[in-house]
Amino acid sequence: MDNCIFCKIANGEILSATLYEDEDFRVILDLGPASKGHALILPKTHAANIYELSDELAGKAMILAKKMAKKLTDALNCDGFNIVQNNGEVAGQTVFHFHMHLIPRYKGDGVGLTWTPGKLSDEDRDDILHKVNN
């Protein structure tokens, strides 16, 4: 994609603070971090979201997320870790190139990635099960 900023970063056309690179991905420090060490996994091939990403790259992305979470945790001595992937504007996606957020967490960091749990009603459960399994 000619206008995709993440394509340009992933493929080295725009300089970034690169933590890792291989033939499929570049991992960079986020310029607007939620916490110290917040990084992004960017595939070098364009896919707008997880729905467009190949199964092979999706699997590799998760393995890379695990590897990078371990490296960042060891390097930064953080207290926890979030791996976040948003799809669609309503879900918080602002750049429409698949990417994963790697967010080190520290006690009292104020990063808001929580929600108030609801309750799964019998009606919703049955409706969802029917729609997904048929």
Side-chain angles (χ1 to χ4, degrees), residues 43-82:
K44 292 183 176 181
T45 1
H46 185 80
N49 50 46
I50 198 165
Y51 311 114
E52 293 182 7
L53 194 67
S54 72
D55 289 350
E56 180 184 5
L57 276 182
K60 286 181 176 181
M62 195 62 199
I63 291 167
L64 180 55
K66 177 185 175 190
K67 175 182 176 175
M68 293 306 302
K70 172 86 171 98
K71 287 181 81 129
L72 286 163
T73 297
D74 290 347
L76 300 173
N77 197 31
C78 57
D79 301 309
F81 215 91
N82 289 115

mmCIF file of all heavy atoms in Angstrom, residues 43-82:
data_model
loop_
_atom_site.group_PDB
_atom_site.id
_atom_site.type_symbol
_atom_site.label_atom_id
_atom_site.label_comp_id
_atom_site.label_asym_id
_atom_site.label_seq_id
_atom_site.Cartn_x
_atom_site.Cartn_y
_atom_site.Cartn_z
ATOM 1 N N PRO A 43 3.803 -6.511 10.491
ATOM 2 C CA PRO A 43 4.173 -7.381 9.372
ATOM 3 C C PRO A 43 4.628 -6.533 8.182
ATOM 4 O O PRO A 43 4.149 -5.415 7.993
ATOM 5 C CB PRO A 43 2.888 -8.139 9.047
ATOM 6 C CG PRO A 43 1.785 -7.349 9.645
ATOM 7 C CD PRO A 43 2.362 -6.509 10.743
ATOM 8 N N LYS A 44 5.545 -7.068 7.407
ATOM 9 C CA LYS A 44 6.056 -6.340 6.242
ATOM 10 C C LYS A 44 5.081 -6.369 5.077
ATOM 11 O O LYS A 44 5.157 -5.527 4.191
ATOM 12 C CB LYS A 44 7.418 -6.895 5.839
ATOM 13 C CG LYS A 44 8.484 -6.578 6.893
ATOM 14 C CD LYS A 44 9.843 -7.066 6.480
ATOM 15 C CE LYS A 44 10.874 -6.623 7.520
ATOM 16 N NZ LYS A 44 12.226 -7.063 7.157
ATOM 17 N N THR A 45 4.181 -7.353 5.076
ATOM 18 C CA THR A 45 3.141 -7.405 4.042
ATOM 19 C C THR A 45 1.895 -6.722 4.577
ATOM 20 O O THR A 45 1.552 -6.891 5.737
ATOM 21 C CB THR A 45 2.747 -8.850 3.694
ATOM 22 O OG1 THR A 45 3.455 -9.771 4.470
ATOM 23 C CG2 THR A 45 2.908 -9.168 2.265
ATOM 24 N N HIS A 46 1.214 -6.004 3.725
ATOM 25 C CA HIS A 46 0.038 -5.263 4.165
ATOM 26 C C HIS A 46 -1.174 -6.173 4.331
ATOM 27 O O HIS A 46 -1.494 -6.972 3.464
ATOM 28 C CB HIS A 46 -0.314 -4.142 3.189
ATOM 29 C CG HIS A 46 -1.451 -3.297 3.679
ATOM 30 N ND1 HIS A 46 -1.271 -2.310 4.616
ATOM 31 C CD2 HIS A 46 -2.775 -3.334 3.396
ATOM 32 C CE1 HIS A 46 -2.447 -1.754 4.873
ATOM 33 N NE2 HIS A 46 -3.377 -2.362 4.152
ATOM 34 N N ALA A 47 -1.808 -6.036 5.468
ATOM 35 C CA ALA A 47 -3.134 -6.601 5.747
ATOM 36 C C ALA A 47 -3.787 -5.575 6.649
ATOM 37 O O ALA A 47 -3.185 -5.141 7.637
ATOM 38 C CB ALA A 47 -3.033 -7.956 6.436
ATOM 39 N N ALA A 48 -4.982 -5.145 6.335
ATOM 40 C CA ALA A 48 -5.628 -4.076 7.097
ATOM 41 C C ALA A 48 -5.933 -4.500 8.528
ATOM 42 O O ALA A 48 -5.917 -3.674 9.443
ATOM 43 C CB ALA A 48 -6.913 -3.631 6.397
ATOM 44 N N ASN A 49 -6.200 -5.788 8.732
ATOM 45 C CA ASN A 49 -6.624 -6.269 10.053
ATOM 46 C C ASN A 49 -6.423 -7.771 10.119
ATOM 47 O O ASN A 49 -5.927 -8.385 9.171
ATOM 48 C CB ASN A 49 -8.088 -5.889 10.305
ATOM 49 C CG ASN A 49 -8.961 -6.292 9.131
ATOM 50 O OD1 ASN A 49 -8.858 -7.397 8.611
ATOM 51 N ND2 ASN A 49 -9.805 -5.368 8.682
ATOM 52 N N ILE A 50 -6.815 -8.360 11.219
ATOM 53 C CA ILE A 50 -6.610 -9.798 11.405
ATOM 54 C C ILE A 50 -7.398 -10.626 10.388
ATOM 55 O O ILE A 50 -6.984 -11.716 10.012
ATOM 56 C CB ILE A 50 -6.934 -10.226 12.852
ATOM 57 C CG1 ILE A 50 -6.305 -11.589 13.149
ATOM 58 C CG2 ILE A 50 -8.436 -10.200 13.107
ATOM 59 C CD1 ILE A 50 -6.241 -11.931 14.613
ATOM 60 N N TYR A 51 -8.516 -10.092 9.918
ATOM 61 C CA TYR A 51 -9.346 -10.822 8.950
ATOM 62 C C TYR A 51 -8.625 -11.007 7.615
ATOM 63 O O TYR A 51 -8.874 -11.975 6.901
ATOM 64 C CB TYR A 51 -10.675 -10.102 8.722
ATOM 65 C CG TYR A 51 -11.381 -9.730 10.003
ATOM 66 C CD1 TYR A 51 -11.545 -8.393 10.350
ATOM 67 C CD2 TYR A 51 -11.867 -10.696 10.875
ATOM 68 C CE1 TYR A 51 -12.185 -8.032 11.531
ATOM 69 C CE2 TYR A 51 -12.505 -10.349 12.058
ATOM 70 C CZ TYR A 51 -12.661 -9.014 12.378
ATOM 71 O OH TYR A 51 -13.278 -8.671 13.543
ATOM 72 N N GLU A 52 -7.749 -10.080 7.279
ATOM 73 C CA GLU A 52 -7.013 -10.138 6.015
ATOM 74 C C GLU A 52 -5.649 -10.813 6.148
ATOM 75 O O GLU A 52 -5.021 -11.126 5.148
ATOM 76 C CB GLU A 52 -6.814 -8.724 5.455
ATOM 77 C CG GLU A 52 -8.091 -8.051 5.030
ATOM 78 C CD GLU A 52 -7.867 -6.668 4.429
ATOM 79 O OE1 GLU A 52 -6.699 -6.269 4.205
ATOM 80 O OE2 GLU A 52 -8.867 -5.976 4.177
ATOM 81 N N LEU A 53 -5.193 -11.023 7.367
ATOM 82 C CA LEU A 53 -3.870 -11.608 7.607
ATOM 83 C C LEU A 53 -3.909 -13.105 7.326
ATOM 84 O O LEU A 53 -4.857 -13.790 7.711
ATOM 85 C CB LEU A 53 -3.475 -11.357 9.069
ATOM 86 C CG LEU A 53 -2.018 -11.585 9.444
ATOM 87 C CD1 LEU A 53 -1.118 -10.563 8.760
ATOM 88 C CD2 LEU A 53 -1.861 -11.486 10.954
ATOM 89 N N SER A 54 -2.876 -13.626 6.666
ATOM 90 C CA SER A 54 -2.835 -15.062 6.398
ATOM 91 C C SER A 54 -2.692 -15.833 7.714
ATOM 92 O O SER A 54 -2.159 -15.311 8.700
ATOM 93 C CB SER A 54 -1.657 -15.398 5.476
ATOM 94 O OG SER A 54 -0.420 -15.281 6.180
ATOM 95 N N ASP A 55 -3.160 -17.063 7.718
ATOM 96 C CA ASP A 55 -3.031 -17.910 8.908
ATOM 97 C C ASP A 55 -1.564 -18.080 9.293
ATOM 98 O O ASP A 55 -1.214 -18.065 10.472
ATOM 99 C CB ASP A 55 -3.661 -19.286 8.675
ATOM 100 C CG ASP A 55 -5.173 -19.243 8.606
ATOM 101 O OD1 ASP A 55 -5.774 -18.196 8.929
ATOM 102 O OD2 ASP A 55 -5.768 -20.273 8.225
ATOM 103 N N GLU A 56 -0.711 -18.228 8.290
ATOM 104 C CA GLU A 56 0.723 -18.401 8.545
ATOM 105 C C GLU A 56 1.303 -17.190 9.271
ATOM 106 O O GLU A 56 1.999 -17.331 10.282
ATOM 107 C CB GLU A 56 1.471 -18.636 7.234
ATOM 108 C CG GLU A 56 2.956 -18.825 7.435
ATOM 109 C CD GLU A 56 3.745 -18.963 6.139
ATOM 110 O OE1 GLU A 56 3.142 -18.819 5.052
ATOM 111 O OE2 GLU A 56 4.955 -19.197 6.221
ATOM 112 N N LEU A 57 1.012 -15.982 8.774
ATOM 113 C CA LEU A 57 1.538 -14.775 9.426
ATOM 114 C C LEU A 57 0.908 -14.553 10.791
ATOM 115 O O LEU A 57 1.573 -14.082 11.714
ATOM 116 C CB LEU A 57 1.350 -13.548 8.539
ATOM 117 C CG LEU A 57 2.411 -13.314 7.480
ATOM 118 C CD1 LEU A 57 2.127 -12.040 6.699
ATOM 119 C CD2 LEU A 57 3.804 -13.273 8.068
ATOM 120 N N ALA A 58 -0.370 -14.892 10.943
ATOM 121 C CA ALA A 58 -1.028 -14.753 12.246
ATOM 122 C C ALA A 58 -0.320 -15.630 13.281
ATOM 123 O O ALA A 58 -0.058 -15.190 14.408
ATOM 124 C CB ALA A 58 -2.502 -15.110 12.143
ATOM 125 N N GLY A 59 -0.007 -16.853 12.902
ATOM 126 C CA GLY A 59 0.701 -17.757 13.810
ATOM 127 C C GLY A 59 2.084 -17.238 14.154
ATOM 128 O O GLY A 59 2.493 -17.234 15.320
ATOM 129 N N LYS A 60 2.805 -16.777 13.130
ATOM 130 C CA LYS A 60 4.148 -16.235 13.362
ATOM 131 C C LYS A 60 4.098 -14.998 14.255
ATOM 132 O O LYS A 60 4.981 -14.780 15.088
ATOM 133 C CB LYS A 60 4.817 -15.890 12.035
ATOM 134 C CG LYS A 60 5.290 -17.088 11.249
ATOM 135 C CD LYS A 60 5.967 -16.629 9.951
ATOM 136 C CE LYS A 60 6.549 -17.777 9.169
ATOM 137 N NZ LYS A 60 7.226 -17.306 7.939
ATOM 138 N N ALA A 61 3.058 -14.162 14.077
ATOM 139 C CA ALA A 61 2.925 -12.945 14.892
ATOM 140 C C ALA A 61 2.761 -13.298 16.367
ATOM 141 O O ALA A 61 3.358 -12.655 17.242
ATOM 142 C CB ALA A 61 1.753 -12.097 14.409
ATOM 143 N N MET A 62 1.977 -14.319 16.658
ATOM 144 C CA MET A 62 1.762 -14.704 18.059
ATOM 145 C C MET A 62 3.032 -15.288 18.673
ATOM 146 O O MET A 62 3.359 -14.985 19.823
ATOM 147 C CB MET A 62 0.605 -15.698 18.152
ATOM 148 C CG MET A 62 0.091 -15.871 19.541
ATOM 149 S SD MET A 62 -0.564 -14.287 20.156
ATOM 150 C CE MET A 62 -0.547 -14.602 21.891
ATOM 151 N N ILE A 63 3.756 -16.088 17.900
ATOM 152 C CA ILE A 63 5.027 -16.633 18.395
ATOM 153 C C ILE A 63 6.017 -15.500 18.650
ATOM 154 O O ILE A 63 6.713 -15.481 19.667
ATOM 155 C CB ILE A 63 5.587 -17.672 17.406
ATOM 156 C CG1 ILE A 63 4.690 -18.917 17.402
ATOM 157 C CG2 ILE A 63 7.031 -18.041 17.734
ATOM 158 C CD1 ILE A 63 4.941 -19.873 16.254
ATOM 159 N N LEU A 64 6.054 -14.521 17.741
ATOM 160 C CA LEU A 64 6.937 -13.369 17.917
ATOM 161 C C LEU A 64 6.511 -12.541 19.127
ATOM 162 O O LEU A 64 7.357 -12.056 19.883
ATOM 163 C CB LEU A 64 6.953 -12.522 16.644
ATOM 164 C CG LEU A 64 7.832 -11.276 16.649
ATOM 165 C CD1 LEU A 64 9.277 -11.593 17.013
ATOM 166 C CD2 LEU A 64 7.748 -10.581 15.288
ATOM 167 N N ALA A 65 5.210 -12.383 19.340
ATOM 168 C CA ALA A 65 4.719 -11.638 20.507
ATOM 169 C C ALA A 65 5.210 -12.293 21.796
ATOM 170 O O ALA A 65 5.647 -11.608 22.728
ATOM 171 C CB ALA A 65 3.197 -11.562 20.485
ATOM 172 N N LYS A 66 5.147 -13.606 21.849
ATOM 173 C CA LYS A 66 5.629 -14.333 23.039
ATOM 174 C C LYS A 66 7.127 -14.091 23.244
ATOM 175 O O LYS A 66 7.568 -13.781 24.364
ATOM 176 C CB LYS A 66 5.350 -15.827 22.887
ATOM 177 C CG LYS A 66 5.877 -16.648 24.030
ATOM 178 C CD LYS A 66 5.689 -18.136 23.796
ATOM 179 C CE LYS A 66 6.352 -18.905 24.931
ATOM 180 N NZ LYS A 66 6.413 -20.332 24.662
ATOM 181 N N LYS A 67 7.898 -14.206 22.177
ATOM 182 C CA LYS A 67 9.345 -14.004 22.250
ATOM 183 C C LYS A 67 9.682 -12.586 22.718
ATOM 184 O O LYS A 67 10.516 -12.387 23.604
ATOM 185 C CB LYS A 67 9.956 -14.269 20.871
ATOM 186 C CG LYS A 67 11.430 -13.985 20.756
ATOM 187 C CD LYS A 67 11.908 -14.240 19.331
ATOM 188 C CE LYS A 67 13.361 -13.873 19.165
ATOM 189 N NZ LYS A 67 13.862 -14.214 17.827
ATOM 190 N N MET A 68 9.024 -11.590 22.124
ATOM 191 C CA MET A 68 9.309 -10.200 22.467
ATOM 192 C C MET A 68 8.814 -9.847 23.869
ATOM 193 O O MET A 68 9.459 -9.064 24.578
ATOM 194 C CB MET A 68 8.708 -9.259 21.422
ATOM 195 C CG MET A 68 9.349 -9.355 20.050
ATOM 196 S SD MET A 68 11.159 -9.146 20.020
ATOM 197 C CE MET A 68 11.346 -7.512 20.742
ATOM 198 N N ALA A 69 7.687 -10.412 24.293
ATOM 199 C CA ALA A 69 7.192 -10.173 25.656
ATOM 200 C C ALA A 69 8.218 -10.661 26.674
ATOM 201 O O ALA A 69 8.494 -9.981 27.672
ATOM 202 C CB ALA A 69 5.846 -10.854 25.865
ATOM 203 N N LYS A 70 8.801 -11.811 26.422
ATOM 204 C CA LYS A 70 9.824 -12.352 27.329
ATOM 205 C C LYS A 70 11.052 -11.451 27.346
ATOM 206 O O LYS A 70 11.570 -11.110 28.419
ATOM 207 C CB LYS A 70 10.185 -13.770 26.872
ATOM 208 C CG LYS A 70 11.355 -14.398 27.589
ATOM 209 C CD LYS A 70 10.937 -15.081 28.854
ATOM 210 C CE LYS A 70 12.056 -15.900 29.465
ATOM 211 N NZ LYS A 70 12.771 -15.249 30.538
ATOM 212 N N LYS A 71 11.516 -11.037 26.151
ATOM 213 C CA LYS A 71 12.702 -10.176 26.083
ATOM 214 C C LYS A 71 12.469 -8.835 26.784
ATOM 215 O O LYS A 71 13.325 -8.350 27.523
ATOM 216 C CB LYS A 71 13.105 -9.942 24.620
ATOM 217 C CG LYS A 71 13.733 -11.138 23.949
ATOM 218 C CD LYS A 71 14.135 -10.830 22.528
ATOM 219 C CE LYS A 71 15.441 -10.120 22.543
ATOM 220 N NZ LYS A 71 16.464 -10.653 21.669
ATOM 221 N N LEU A 72 11.295 -8.233 26.536
ATOM 222 C CA LEU A 72 10.990 -6.944 27.155
ATOM 223 C C LEU A 72 10.815 -7.078 28.663
ATOM 224 O O LEU A 72 11.267 -6.222 29.428
ATOM 225 C CB LEU A 72 9.750 -6.323 26.508
ATOM 226 C CG LEU A 72 9.969 -5.742 25.115
ATOM 227 C CD1 LEU A 72 8.641 -5.532 24.397
ATOM 228 C CD2 LEU A 72 10.756 -4.438 25.190
ATOM 229 N N THR A 73 10.166 -8.135 29.102
ATOM 230 C CA THR A 73 9.981 -8.361 30.542
ATOM 231 C C THR A 73 11.333 -8.508 31.232
ATOM 232 O O THR A 73 11.575 -7.902 32.281
ATOM 233 C CB THR A 73 9.098 -9.603 30.789
ATOM 234 O OG1 THR A 73 7.802 -9.362 30.230
ATOM 235 C CG2 THR A 73 8.952 -9.899 32.268
ATOM 236 N N ASP A 74 12.222 -9.293 30.640
ATOM 237 C CA ASP A 74 13.555 -9.481 31.225
ATOM 238 C C ASP A 74 14.352 -8.180 31.224
ATOM 239 O O ASP A 74 15.008 -7.842 32.211
ATOM 240 C CB ASP A 74 14.329 -10.555 30.455
ATOM 241 C CG ASP A 74 13.765 -11.958 30.658
ATOM 242 O OD1 ASP A 74 12.928 -12.161 31.570
ATOM 243 O OD2 ASP A 74 14.155 -12.856 29.876
ATOM 244 N N ALA A 75 14.284 -7.431 30.131
ATOM 245 C CA ALA A 75 15.076 -6.205 30.002
ATOM 246 C C ALA A 75 14.566 -5.079 30.891
ATOM 247 O O ALA A 75 15.355 -4.314 31.443
ATOM 248 C CB ALA A 75 15.086 -5.746 28.544
ATOM 249 N N LEU A 76 13.238 -4.974 31.035
ATOM 250 C CA LEU A 76 12.644 -3.831 31.732
ATOM 251 C C LEU A 76 12.176 -4.154 33.140
ATOM 252 O O LEU A 76 11.768 -3.262 33.877
ATOM 253 C CB LEU A 76 11.474 -3.286 30.907
ATOM 254 C CG LEU A 76 11.842 -2.805 29.506
ATOM 255 C CD1 LEU A 76 10.594 -2.452 28.718
ATOM 256 C CD2 LEU A 76 12.802 -1.630 29.581
ATOM 257 N N ASN A 77 12.197 -5.424 33.500
ATOM 258 C CA ASN A 77 11.763 -5.857 34.829
ATOM 259 C C ASN A 77 10.349 -5.355 35.146
ATOM 260 O O ASN A 77 10.068 -4.872 36.236
ATOM 261 C CB ASN A 77 12.761 -5.383 35.897
ATOM 262 C CG ASN A 77 12.600 -6.141 37.198
ATOM 263 O OD1 ASN A 77 12.223 -7.308 37.199
ATOM 264 N ND2 ASN A 77 12.864 -5.470 38.304
ATOM 265 N N CYS A 78 9.460 -5.453 34.157
ATOM 266 C CA CYS A 78 8.080 -5.014 34.365
ATOM 267 C C CYS A 78 7.322 -6.044 35.205
ATOM 268 O O CYS A 78 7.781 -7.169 35.396
ATOM 269 C CB CYS A 78 7.383 -4.751 33.035
ATOM 270 S SG CYS A 78 7.360 -6.143 31.902
ATOM 271 N N ASP A 79 6.165 -5.636 35.713
ATOM 272 C CA ASP A 79 5.388 -6.476 36.628
ATOM 273 C C ASP A 79 4.335 -7.333 35.930
ATOM 274 O O ASP A 79 3.754 -8.229 36.532
ATOM 275 C CB ASP A 79 4.690 -5.582 37.664
ATOM 276 C CG ASP A 79 5.684 -4.763 38.462
ATOM 277 O OD1 ASP A 79 6.637 -5.348 38.997
ATOM 278 O OD2 ASP A 79 5.513 -3.526 38.529
ATOM 279 N N GLY A 80 4.068 -7.040 34.668
ATOM 280 C CA GLY A 80 3.070 -7.776 33.898
ATOM 281 C C GLY A 80 3.171 -7.354 32.450
ATOM 282 O O GLY A 80 4.059 -6.575 32.076
ATOM 283 N N PHE A 81 2.256 -7.865 31.629
ATOM 284 C CA PHE A 81 2.359 -7.593 30.198
ATOM 285 C C PHE A 81 1.000 -7.730 29.537
ATOM 286 O O PHE A 81 0.256 -8.655 29.832
ATOM 287 C CB PHE A 81 3.318 -8.610 29.547
ATOM 288 C CG PHE A 81 4.119 -8.033 28.440
ATOM 289 C CD1 PHE A 81 5.357 -7.474 28.679
ATOM 290 C CD2 PHE A 81 3.637 -8.028 27.150
ATOM 291 C CE1 PHE A 81 6.096 -6.921 27.651
ATOM 292 C CE2 PHE A 81 4.362 -7.482 26.115
ATOM 293 C CZ PHE A 81 5.601 -6.923 26.367
ATOM 294 N N ASN A 82 0.681 -6.784 28.632
ATOM 295 C CA ASN A 82 -0.507 -6.892 27.779
ATOM 296 C C ASN A 82 -0.057 -7.072 26.342
ATOM 297 O O ASN A 82 0.859 -6.390 25.886
ATOM 298 C CB ASN A 82 -1.385 -5.636 27.824
ATOM 299 C CG ASN A 82 -2.111 -5.470 29.135
ATOM 300 O OD1 ASN A 82 -1.845 -4.517 29.860
ATOM 301 N ND2 ASN A 82 -3.022 -6.356 29.443
#
